[in-house]
Amino acid sequence: MSFDEAAKVLKEAKKVVILTGAGVSKESGLDTFRDAKGDGLWSQYNPMELATPQAFQRDPDLVWRWYNFRRDKAFETSPNPGHEVIATWENKFEKLLLVTQNVDGLHQRAGSKKVVCLHGNLLQVRCLKSGKTLTKEEPFESVPPYCQCGSMLRPDIVWFGEALPEGAMEKSLGATLEADVLLVAGTSLQVYPAASLVPYALQRGIPVIEVNVEQSDFSSKTCFLSGPSGEVLPKLDSLLS
Ligand code: BV8
C-alpha cells in the first residue's frame, strides 16, 4: 500500500486506533528505548536490565538516577509534529484511541486526551507502601525520593515482568476489534503484550498502517510507510484534508 492508499483507508475510516512507541519521540530529541542509554554515564547500562523490579530491588539509587536522567530529558523536550498531528486527529475521526508504550508524556503535552498509557508515565511516582500515585512534574532535588509516610517512592512505570495497568490491554484490544484501521508509529513491536495489537488486527482483516524508519517483524503484512513519523504523519494528514 502506498501513501495514497493509506490516506484512502484513513479517509474512509470512522474508528481509528493508534499504537505508538519511542520512535515518535525521537524527533523531539529523546533516545528510543533501546538506545535510551544516553551518552556518557548511561552508555555502560542496558535499559532492558535497568527497567526491572530486580534492578530496583538491587540498586534503587542507580535505577532512580537513570529515571531521573530520563525525567529531566523529558522536561527539556517538546512534542514534535508527529505528536501534534495525532492530537488533532481526535477531532478528525468519529472515534480515535491512542495507545502508547511511551512514558515521556509528550502525547499528552501535544493535546491528546484519549490516551491509554500501557507502560506508565515518567511524570508519576508511586508509594512503595501504600501504592498511592503522585504526579511530580518538576525535577527531584535528590533521588531516591520519599513519600510523606516515610516510604520510598518508585517510578510509576511498568517494568519488564510486571503486569500492565488494569484494563489497559482490554480497552486497547476492544477498541482495535471495532476499528476500521490500526495505525502503528515508531515502535519496534518487540515488547508484549503491547505489540500483540498488530497480529490481533491482522487476524481480523483490519488494515494496519505502519510508520517507521526501519522494518519490523510485521512489515511484510502491514502498509509500511518508510520515514520519520514527524514527517510521515503530517504528510498523511495533508492527504486527508
Ligand atoms: C508482562 C517502561 C506479564 C520501562 C517498558 C508475551 C506476552 C506477554 C509478555 C511477554 C511476552 N513475551 C515476552 C514477554 C515479557 C516482556 C517482553 O515483552 N519482553 C520483550 C523484550 C520480549 N513483557 C513484559 O514483561 C510486560 N509485562 O507481560 O507481564 C504479567 C502478567 C501478570 C502478572 C505479572 C506479569 C511489560 C512490558 C513493559 C516493559 N516496560 N517501558 C521504561 O521505559 O523505562 S517497555 C519499553 O519498550 C518502552 O516502553 C518502549 O516504548 C517499549 C517498546 O519499545 P519501542 O517503543 O518500540 O522502542 P524501541 O527502542 O524498541 O524501538 C524504537 C522504534 O522506533 C524502532 O522501530 C525505530 O526504527 C523507530 N524509530 C526511530 N526513529 C524513528 C522511528 N520511527 C519513526 N520515526 C522516527 N523518527
Side-chain angles (χ1 to χ4, degrees):
M1 213 191 283
S2 66
F3 258 95
D4 290 337
E5 287 162 328
K8 184 171 180 299
V9 167
L10 282 168
K11 261 187 193 157
E12 289 162 4
K14 290 189 170 32
K15 297 176 184 173
V16 177
V17 172
I18 299 179
L19 170 67
T20 62
V24 299
S25 296
K26 183 84 177 178
E27 287 145 276
S28 294
L30 288 180
D31 285 332
T32 62
F33 186 72
R34 272 154 193 72
D35 58 28
K37 295 171 279 214
D39 42 19
L41 173 66
W42 298 109
S43 54
Q44 75 264 31
Y45 296 107
N46 175 355
M48 294 297 293
E49 281 151 26
L50 284 178
T52 67
Q54 294 77 10
F56 187 71
Q57 188 78 35
R58 193 172 49 244
D59 191 343
D61 287 40
L62 173 65
V63 173
W64 255 116
R65 278 189 288 121
W66 183 52
Y67 278 98
N68 214 30
F69 166 77
R70 289 173 60 196
R71 280 169 51 90
D72 292 348
K73 295 285 273 185
F75 292 135
E76 288 158 15
T77 58
S78 312
N80 66 60
H83 295 109
E84 285 154 3
V85 161
I86 290 171
T88 63
W89 282 2
E90 277 187 3
N91 304 317
K92 183 157 278 195
F93 297 97
E94 191 181 289
K95 226 173 164 190
L96 183 140
L97 180 67
L98 170 60
V99 180
T100 189
Q101 300 171 89
N102 297 343
V103 296
D104 56 35
L106 287 178
H107 281 303
Q108 295 88 330
R109 283 172 53 195
S112 287
K113 302 264 183 304
K114 298 169 192 155
V115 189
V116 174
C117 293
L118 293 180
H119 298 157
N121 187 333
L122 275 177
L123 308 182
Q124 288 194 197
V125 290
R126 193 160 82 225
C127 174
L128 282 176
K129 192 168 170 203
S130 65
K132 194 175 62 172
T133 55
L134 308 160
T135 299
K136 177 81 174 160
E137 288 177 341
E138 56 284 339
F140 284 113
E141 291 76 40
S142 66
V143 289
Y146 287 82
C147 179
Q148 281 174 341
C149 75
S151 165
M152 189 184 287
L153 293 166
R154 61 162 277 178
D156 193 26
I157 292 279
V158 179
W159 283 326
F160 287 98
E162 292 190 319
L164 271 57
E166 195 169 335
M169 273 311 290
E170 292 76 1
K171 183 171 180 183
S172 306
L173 289 167
T176 303
L177 188 60
E178 291 177 0
D180 300 309
V181 58
L182 169 66
L183 185 139
V184 177
T187 174
S188 62
L189 292 172
Q190 287 175 12
V191 171
Y192 286 80
S196 60
L197 289 187
V198 172
Y200 187 78
L202 291 170
Q203 277 154 17
R204 282 157 184 79
I206 295 163
V208 179
I209 298 169
E210 186 180 5
V211 177
N212 203 314
V213 294
E214 64 185 22
Q215 304 240 328
S216 71
D217 296 345
F218 297 97
S219 301
S220 59
K221 301 190 187 81
T222 65
C223 161
F224 187 80
L225 303 179
S226 178
S229 49
E231 291 170 21
V232 169
L233 292 174
K235 183 177 170 187
L236 262 182
D237 186 48
S238 69
L239 296 172
L240 299 184
S241 12

